[in-house]
Amino acid sequence: MGKNGPIDVIVMNSHGVGQVCNVHRLPRRGETMEAWNWHVEEDGGKGATVSVALGRLGVSTGYIGKVGYDPWGDMGDKWMSESGVDTTYMYRDHSVSTGTGLIMIDDDGLNTIVDGDSACRALTVDEIHDAIAAMSEAKVFITGFGMPFQKALAGARIAKEEYGMTTFCNASPLPTEPLGDLGFVDHLVVNDVEGRVLCGLPEDSETPFGEICRQVVATYHCNGVIMTCGAEGSAVLDGDDYFFVRGTKVKAVYTIGAGDGYLAATAAGLVWGKTLREACEWASKYAAYKVTREGTMTSRPGEGYPPLSDVEEWMRSLQE
Protein backbone atom coordinates (compact mmCIF):
# COMPACT_ATOMS: atom_id res chain seq x y z
CA MET A 1 0.00 0.00 0.00
CA GLY A 2 1.41 3.36 -1.00
CA LYS A 3 1.18 6.53 1.07
CA ASN A 4 -1.67 7.73 -1.17
CA GLY A 5 -3.55 4.44 -1.34
CA PRO A 6 -3.29 1.16 -3.33
CA ILE A 7 -0.53 0.91 -5.92
CA ASP A 8 -1.36 -0.46 -9.39
CA VAL A 9 2.11 -0.45 -10.98
CA ILE A 10 5.56 -0.82 -9.42
CA VAL A 11 8.55 0.54 -11.35
CA MET A 12 12.05 -0.55 -10.30
CA ASN A 13 14.91 0.88 -12.33
CA SER A 14 17.49 3.63 -12.20
CA HIS A 15 17.25 7.35 -11.64
CA GLY A 16 20.03 9.62 -12.87
CA VAL A 17 20.52 13.13 -14.21
CA GLY A 18 22.47 14.35 -17.23
CA GLN A 19 24.50 17.56 -17.32
CA VAL A 20 25.24 19.12 -20.70
CA CYS A 21 27.75 21.76 -21.76
CA ASN A 22 29.25 23.17 -24.97
CA VAL A 23 32.99 23.31 -25.67
CA HIS A 24 34.94 24.46 -28.74
CA ARG A 25 36.80 21.15 -28.78
CA LEU A 26 37.24 18.20 -26.44
CA PRO A 27 39.81 18.82 -23.68
CA ARG A 28 43.33 17.45 -23.85
CA ARG A 29 44.73 15.38 -21.02
CA GLY A 30 45.37 17.56 -17.95
CA GLU A 31 43.80 20.64 -19.54
CA THR A 32 41.38 23.05 -17.89
CA MET A 33 39.17 24.72 -20.45
CA GLU A 34 36.12 26.91 -20.82
CA ALA A 35 32.63 25.51 -21.25
CA TRP A 36 29.31 27.33 -21.62
CA ASN A 37 25.58 26.69 -21.82
CA TRP A 38 25.97 24.35 -18.85
CA HIS A 39 22.60 22.96 -17.86
CA VAL A 40 20.85 19.98 -16.35
CA GLU A 41 18.69 18.01 -18.75
CA GLU A 42 15.14 17.55 -17.50
CA ASP A 43 15.47 13.83 -18.02
CA GLY A 44 16.11 10.96 -15.62
CA GLY A 45 16.99 7.30 -15.75
CA LYS A 46 14.56 4.73 -17.12
CA GLY A 47 12.94 4.14 -13.75
CA ALA A 48 12.14 7.80 -13.24
CA THR A 49 10.92 8.40 -16.79
CA VAL A 50 8.57 5.40 -16.86
CA SER A 51 7.25 6.37 -13.41
CA VAL A 52 6.59 9.98 -14.42
CA ALA A 53 4.85 8.91 -17.64
CA LEU A 54 2.59 6.56 -15.66
CA GLY A 55 1.87 9.14 -13.00
CA ARG A 56 0.79 11.71 -15.59
CA LEU A 57 -1.57 9.13 -17.08
CA GLY A 58 -3.24 8.91 -13.69
CA VAL A 59 -1.98 5.41 -12.85
CA SER A 60 -1.19 4.81 -9.17
CA THR A 61 2.54 4.10 -9.34
CA GLY A 62 5.19 3.22 -6.77
CA TYR A 63 8.92 3.62 -7.49
CA ILE A 64 11.70 1.38 -6.15
CA GLY A 65 15.31 2.47 -6.47
CA LYS A 66 18.28 3.94 -4.64
CA VAL A 67 19.83 7.39 -4.83
CA GLY A 68 22.30 9.43 -2.83
CA TYR A 69 21.70 12.28 -0.43
CA ASP A 70 22.42 14.86 -3.09
CA PRO A 71 20.64 17.40 -5.34
CA TRP A 72 20.22 14.83 -8.13
CA GLY A 73 18.38 12.47 -5.79
CA ASP A 74 16.23 15.38 -4.59
CA MET A 75 15.49 16.25 -8.22
CA GLY A 76 14.27 12.74 -9.03
CA ASP A 77 12.06 12.69 -5.93
CA LYS A 78 10.59 16.06 -6.93
CA TRP A 79 9.95 15.05 -10.55
CA MET A 80 8.22 11.82 -9.58
CA SER A 81 6.29 13.19 -6.59
CA GLU A 82 4.93 16.09 -8.66
CA SER A 83 3.60 13.52 -11.12
CA GLY A 84 1.80 11.64 -8.36
CA VAL A 85 4.32 8.79 -8.00
CA ASP A 86 4.84 7.26 -4.55
CA THR A 87 8.57 7.51 -3.71
CA THR A 88 8.43 5.86 -0.29
CA TYR A 89 10.84 3.18 -1.55
CA MET A 90 13.23 5.52 -3.29
CA TYR A 91 15.90 4.54 -0.79
CA ARG A 92 18.55 7.13 0.12
CA ASP A 93 22.12 6.04 0.93
CA HIS A 94 25.05 8.16 2.16
CA SER A 95 27.53 5.71 0.63
CA VAL A 96 26.47 6.32 -3.00
CA SER A 97 26.02 9.25 -5.36
CA THR A 98 22.99 9.52 -7.63
CA GLY A 99 24.01 8.57 -11.15
CA THR A 100 24.91 11.52 -13.35
CA GLY A 101 26.39 11.90 -16.81
CA LEU A 102 28.38 14.71 -18.39
CA ILE A 103 27.79 15.38 -22.08
CA MET A 104 30.29 17.69 -23.83
CA ILE A 105 29.27 18.94 -27.28
CA ASP A 106 31.98 20.47 -29.51
CA ASP A 107 31.72 23.03 -32.33
CA ASP A 108 31.20 20.26 -34.89
CA GLY A 109 28.23 18.91 -32.96
CA LEU A 110 30.08 15.79 -31.85
CA ASN A 111 29.65 14.75 -28.25
CA THR A 112 31.55 12.85 -25.61
CA ILE A 113 29.62 11.32 -22.72
CA VAL A 114 31.03 10.44 -19.29
CA ASP A 115 28.35 8.29 -17.70
CA GLY A 116 28.23 7.54 -13.97
CA ASP A 117 27.02 4.16 -12.77
CA SER A 118 23.62 3.59 -11.20
CA ALA A 119 23.27 4.11 -7.46
CA CYS A 120 20.99 1.05 -7.65
CA ARG A 121 24.16 -1.06 -7.46
CA ALA A 122 23.81 -0.49 -3.69
CA LEU A 123 20.16 -1.61 -3.67
CA THR A 124 19.94 -4.90 -1.78
CA VAL A 125 17.66 -7.83 -2.54
CA ASP A 126 16.22 -7.50 0.98
CA GLU A 127 15.30 -3.88 0.25
CA ILE A 128 13.73 -4.92 -3.05
CA HIS A 129 11.73 -7.66 -1.33
CA ASP A 130 10.52 -5.34 1.45
CA ALA A 131 9.39 -2.72 -1.06
CA ILE A 132 7.51 -5.19 -3.28
CA ALA A 133 5.88 -6.78 -0.23
CA ALA A 134 4.72 -3.36 0.98
CA MET A 135 3.05 -2.72 -2.41
CA SER A 136 1.95 -6.31 -3.01
CA GLU A 137 -1.49 -5.23 -4.25
CA ALA A 138 0.12 -3.98 -7.49
CA LYS A 139 -1.03 -5.64 -10.70
CA VAL A 140 2.05 -4.84 -12.81
CA PHE A 141 5.80 -4.81 -12.09
CA ILE A 142 8.21 -3.05 -14.47
CA THR A 143 11.98 -3.29 -14.27
CA GLY A 144 14.96 -2.98 -16.59
CA PHE A 145 18.69 -2.94 -16.95
CA GLY A 146 19.38 0.69 -16.19
CA MET A 147 20.32 -0.90 -12.85
CA PRO A 148 22.46 -4.04 -12.32
CA PHE A 149 20.58 -6.65 -14.31
CA GLN A 150 20.86 -9.41 -11.68
CA LYS A 151 18.98 -7.25 -9.18
CA ALA A 152 16.40 -6.23 -11.77
CA LEU A 153 15.71 -9.90 -12.50
CA ALA A 154 15.61 -10.72 -8.78
CA GLY A 155 12.86 -8.14 -8.40
CA ALA A 156 10.90 -9.53 -11.34
CA ARG A 157 11.16 -13.05 -9.91
CA ILE A 158 9.85 -11.89 -6.51
CA ALA A 159 7.00 -9.95 -8.10
CA LYS A 160 5.94 -12.88 -10.27
CA GLU A 161 6.57 -15.93 -8.12
CA GLU A 162 5.55 -14.53 -4.74
CA TYR A 163 2.85 -12.02 -5.65
CA GLY A 164 1.57 -13.07 -9.09
CA MET A 165 2.15 -9.70 -10.75
CA THR A 166 2.39 -9.25 -14.52
CA THR A 167 6.08 -8.60 -15.11
CA PHE A 168 7.77 -6.41 -17.73
CA CYS A 169 11.55 -6.31 -18.13
CA ASN A 170 13.16 -3.75 -20.43
CA ALA A 171 16.44 -5.48 -21.38
CA SER A 172 18.32 -2.27 -22.13
CA PRO A 173 21.22 -1.87 -22.13
CA LEU A 174 21.90 -5.53 -22.84
CA PRO A 175 24.38 -7.01 -20.35
CA THR A 176 27.49 -8.82 -21.54
CA GLU A 177 26.74 -11.75 -19.22
CA PRO A 178 24.13 -14.42 -20.07
CA LEU A 179 20.58 -13.60 -19.01
CA GLY A 180 19.71 -17.18 -18.11
CA ASP A 181 16.16 -18.52 -17.86
CA LEU A 182 13.53 -15.75 -17.79
CA GLY A 183 10.49 -17.90 -17.14
CA PHE A 184 9.27 -15.36 -14.55
CA VAL A 185 9.16 -12.52 -17.13
CA ASP A 186 5.81 -12.09 -18.88
CA HIS A 187 6.94 -9.43 -21.36
CA LEU A 188 10.59 -8.94 -22.31
CA VAL A 189 10.81 -5.46 -23.82
CA VAL A 190 13.53 -4.73 -26.41
CA ASN A 191 14.03 -2.70 -29.56
CA ASP A 192 14.65 -4.40 -32.89
CA VAL A 193 18.44 -4.00 -32.66
CA GLU A 194 18.50 -5.57 -29.18
CA GLY A 195 16.23 -8.36 -30.39
CA ARG A 196 18.68 -9.24 -33.16
CA VAL A 197 21.59 -9.20 -30.70
CA LEU A 198 19.74 -11.59 -28.37
CA CYS A 199 19.28 -13.94 -31.32
CA GLY A 200 22.92 -13.66 -32.45
CA LEU A 201 21.85 -12.00 -35.71
CA PRO A 202 23.73 -9.22 -37.51
CA GLU A 203 22.37 -5.71 -36.96
CA ASP A 204 21.19 -5.44 -40.56
CA SER A 205 19.54 -8.87 -40.60
CA GLU A 206 16.25 -8.97 -42.50
CA THR A 207 14.87 -11.81 -40.36
CA PRO A 208 11.13 -11.18 -39.90
CA PHE A 209 10.19 -9.53 -36.62
CA GLY A 210 7.89 -12.37 -35.62
CA GLU A 211 10.68 -14.90 -36.08
CA ILE A 212 13.01 -12.81 -33.91
CA CYS A 213 10.38 -12.68 -31.15
CA ARG A 214 9.82 -16.43 -31.28
CA GLN A 215 13.56 -17.11 -31.18
CA VAL A 216 13.96 -14.88 -28.11
CA VAL A 217 11.16 -16.75 -26.33
CA ALA A 218 12.62 -20.13 -27.31
CA THR A 219 16.04 -19.12 -25.97
CA TYR A 220 15.09 -17.33 -22.74
CA HIS A 221 11.72 -18.94 -21.93
CA CYS A 222 9.95 -15.66 -21.17
CA ASN A 223 6.22 -15.73 -21.87
CA GLY A 224 6.43 -13.09 -24.57
CA VAL A 225 8.30 -10.24 -26.23
CA ILE A 226 7.40 -6.66 -27.00
CA MET A 227 9.84 -5.37 -29.64
CA THR A 228 9.69 -1.73 -30.63
CA CYS A 229 10.72 -1.11 -34.23
CA GLY A 230 11.10 2.66 -34.39
CA ALA A 231 8.59 4.54 -36.54
CA GLU A 232 7.45 1.26 -38.13
CA GLY A 233 5.63 0.18 -35.00
CA SER A 234 6.01 -2.73 -32.60
CA ALA A 235 6.09 -6.51 -32.87
CA VAL A 236 4.41 -8.38 -30.02
CA LEU A 237 4.46 -12.06 -29.12
CA ASP A 238 2.20 -12.99 -26.20
CA GLY A 239 2.37 -16.72 -25.61
CA ASP A 240 1.38 -18.14 -29.00
CA ASP A 241 -0.33 -14.94 -30.15
CA TYR A 242 1.76 -12.76 -32.48
CA PHE A 243 0.69 -9.38 -33.85
CA PHE A 244 2.25 -6.22 -35.27
CA VAL A 245 1.10 -2.73 -34.32
CA ARG A 246 1.82 -0.20 -37.04
CA GLY A 247 3.22 3.15 -35.98
CA THR A 248 1.25 6.38 -36.31
CA LYS A 249 2.92 8.81 -38.71
CA VAL A 250 3.78 12.15 -37.12
CA LYS A 251 6.43 14.84 -37.44
CA ALA A 252 8.83 13.92 -34.64
CA VAL A 253 10.57 16.74 -32.79
CA TYR A 254 12.03 14.85 -29.78
CA THR A 255 12.34 11.06 -29.81
CA ILE A 256 14.24 10.61 -26.52
CA GLY A 257 12.08 8.75 -24.01
CA ALA A 258 9.56 7.48 -26.56
CA GLY A 259 10.28 3.84 -25.72
CA ASP A 260 9.87 4.47 -22.00
CA GLY A 261 6.58 6.22 -22.72
CA TYR A 262 5.40 3.30 -24.84
CA LEU A 263 6.20 0.89 -21.99
CA ALA A 264 4.39 3.06 -19.45
CA ALA A 265 1.34 3.43 -21.69
CA THR A 266 1.18 -0.33 -22.31
CA ALA A 267 1.20 -1.02 -18.57
CA ALA A 268 -1.45 1.67 -18.06
CA GLY A 269 -3.65 -0.04 -20.63
CA LEU A 270 -3.45 -3.35 -18.78
CA VAL A 271 -4.36 -1.64 -15.50
CA TRP A 272 -7.40 -0.11 -17.23
CA GLY A 273 -8.54 -3.58 -18.33
CA LYS A 274 -7.42 -3.54 -21.95
CA THR A 275 -6.10 -6.70 -23.62
CA LEU A 276 -2.39 -6.65 -24.43
CA ARG A 277 -3.18 -6.01 -28.10
CA GLU A 278 -5.45 -3.08 -27.21
CA ALA A 279 -2.90 -1.76 -24.73
CA CYS A 280 -0.08 -1.87 -27.29
CA GLU A 281 -2.23 -0.18 -29.94
CA TRP A 282 -3.06 2.63 -27.50
CA ALA A 283 0.58 2.86 -26.39
CA SER A 284 1.74 3.14 -30.00
CA LYS A 285 -0.46 6.20 -30.51
CA TYR A 286 0.66 7.60 -27.15
CA ALA A 287 4.33 7.27 -28.16
CA ALA A 288 3.61 8.97 -31.49
CA TYR A 289 2.05 11.89 -29.64
CA LYS A 290 4.97 11.99 -27.19
CA VAL A 291 7.57 12.51 -29.93
CA THR A 292 5.71 15.61 -31.13
CA ARG A 293 6.47 17.22 -27.75
CA GLU A 294 9.86 18.49 -26.55
CA GLY A 295 11.42 16.89 -23.47
CA THR A 296 10.42 14.11 -21.12
CA MET A 297 10.25 15.04 -17.43
CA THR A 298 9.59 18.73 -18.00
CA SER A 299 6.23 20.01 -16.85
CA ARG A 300 6.20 23.05 -19.15
CA PRO A 301 2.84 23.28 -20.96
CA GLY A 302 2.80 21.30 -24.18
CA GLU A 303 6.10 19.56 -23.41
CA GLY A 304 7.27 16.31 -21.82
CA TYR A 305 5.26 13.21 -21.01
CA PRO A 306 1.64 14.30 -21.52
CA PRO A 307 -1.23 14.10 -19.03
CA LEU A 308 -4.07 11.77 -19.90
CA SER A 309 -6.42 14.61 -20.87
CA ASP A 310 -3.95 15.85 -23.53
CA VAL A 311 -3.46 12.32 -24.86
CA GLU A 312 -7.18 11.70 -25.19
CA GLU A 313 -7.73 15.05 -26.93
CA TRP A 314 -4.94 14.29 -29.44
CA MET A 315 -6.27 10.80 -30.11
CA ARG A 316 -9.73 12.21 -30.78
CA SER A 317 -8.18 14.57 -33.33
CA LEU A 318 -6.84 11.54 -35.26
CA GLN A 319 -10.42 10.41 -35.88
CA GLU A 320 -11.63 13.76 -37.20
Side-chain angles (χ1 to χ4, degrees):
M1 180 77 70
K3 60 187 175 186
N4 299 320
I7 296 295
D8 286 323
V9 179
I10 296 172
V11 179
M12 186 179 81
N13 207 338
S14 65
H15 164 64
V17 176
Q19 302 175 65
V20 181
C21 66
N22 289 93
V23 294
H24 286 303
R25 56 173 174 74
L26 300 180
R28 299 185 179 94
R29 184 176 180 181
E31 179 182 18
T32 300
M33 65 182 297
E34 179 187 22
W36 67 95
N37 191 29
W38 197 292
H39 62 280
V40 173
E41 283 286 290
E42 288 194 87
D43 188 31
K46 286 180 173 292
T49 50
V50 171
S51 296
V52 166
L54 278 162
R56 292 181 184 174
L57 287 173
V59 176
S60 179
T61 303
Y63 173 76
I64 302 174
K66 181 164 282 191
V67 297
Y69 283 95
D70 51 38
W72 313 129
D74 295 343
M75 193 174 289
D77 196 349
K78 177 175 179 289
W79 282 337
M80 285 188 272
S81 296
E82 286 179 347
S83 298
V85 177
D86 190 315
T87 59
T88 300
Y89 295 97
M90 182 173 167
Y91 295 101
R92 309 298 284 258
D93 191 326
H94 286 289
S95 71
V96 299
S97 297
T98 305
T100 185
L102 173 60
I103 304 166
M104 293 177 284
I105 305 172
D106 69 15
D107 285 345
D108 294 324
L110 300 176
N111 65 66
T112 293
I113 302 175
V114 181
D115 197 9
D117 57 2
S118 170
C120 284
R121 70 184 188 281
L123 187 65
T124 69
V125 174
D126 284 344
E127 288 170 332
I128 293 169
H129 195 284
D130 290 347
I132 295 173
M135 298 182 283
S136 60
E137 72 278 7
K139 303 177 182 69
V140 176
F141 180 87
I142 300 172
T143 191
F145 298 162
M147 61 185 290
F149 82 96
Q150 299 95 334
K151 292 179 181 178
L153 294 179
R157 184 185 290 276
I158 292 166
K160 186 66 183 178
E161 295 182 352
E162 296 188 29
Y163 299 103
M165 298 178 194
T166 297
T167 52
F168 289 79
C169 179
N170 182 7
S172 179
L174 289 174
T176 55
E177 300 171 52
L179 291 179
D181 189 294
L182 302 180
F184 49 88
V185 172
D186 289 307
H187 309 290
L188 188 68
V189 183
V190 294
N191 62 32
D192 54 330
V193 174
E194 293 159 345
R196 293 184 185 98
V197 171
L198 286 174
C199 294
L201 297 169
E203 189 174 323
D204 59 353
S205 169
E206 296 184 2
T207 302
F209 293 143
E211 190 175 323
I212 294 173
C213 292
R214 291 186 181 90
Q215 190 171 331
V216 170
V217 167
T219 303
Y220 299 99
H221 306 136
C222 47
N223 177 70
V225 175
I226 297 175
M227 187 167 72
T228 57
C229 308
E232 288 186 64
S234 48
V236 183
L237 180 63
D238 182 29
D240 294 327
D241 183 25
Y242 173 77
F243 56 91
F244 190 83
V245 178
R246 297 201 175 279
T248 302
K249 290 185 178 181
V250 295
K251 183 178 180 180
V253 299
Y254 193 92
T255 59
I256 295 171
D260 293 345
Y262 176 96
L263 174 53
T266 300
L270 295 185
V271 168
W272 296 331
K274 296 178 185 287
T275 65
L276 182 63
R277 184 189 290 258
E278 292 168 340
C280 289
E281 289 172 347
W282 194 87
S284 182
K285 293 185 177 68
Y286 168 94
Y289 178 45
K290 159 63 199 74
V291 302
T292 68
R293 299 164 61 101
E294 293 278 357
T296 55
M297 311 284 262
T298 178
S299 56
R300 290 187 294 271
E303 298 185 14
Y305 289 118
L308 181 59
S309 56
D310 286 8
V311 179
E312 290 177 333
E313 181 180 349
W314 184 82
M315 289 190 184
R316 283 194 297 269
S317 73
L318 295 178
Q319 300 168 354
E320 293 174 356

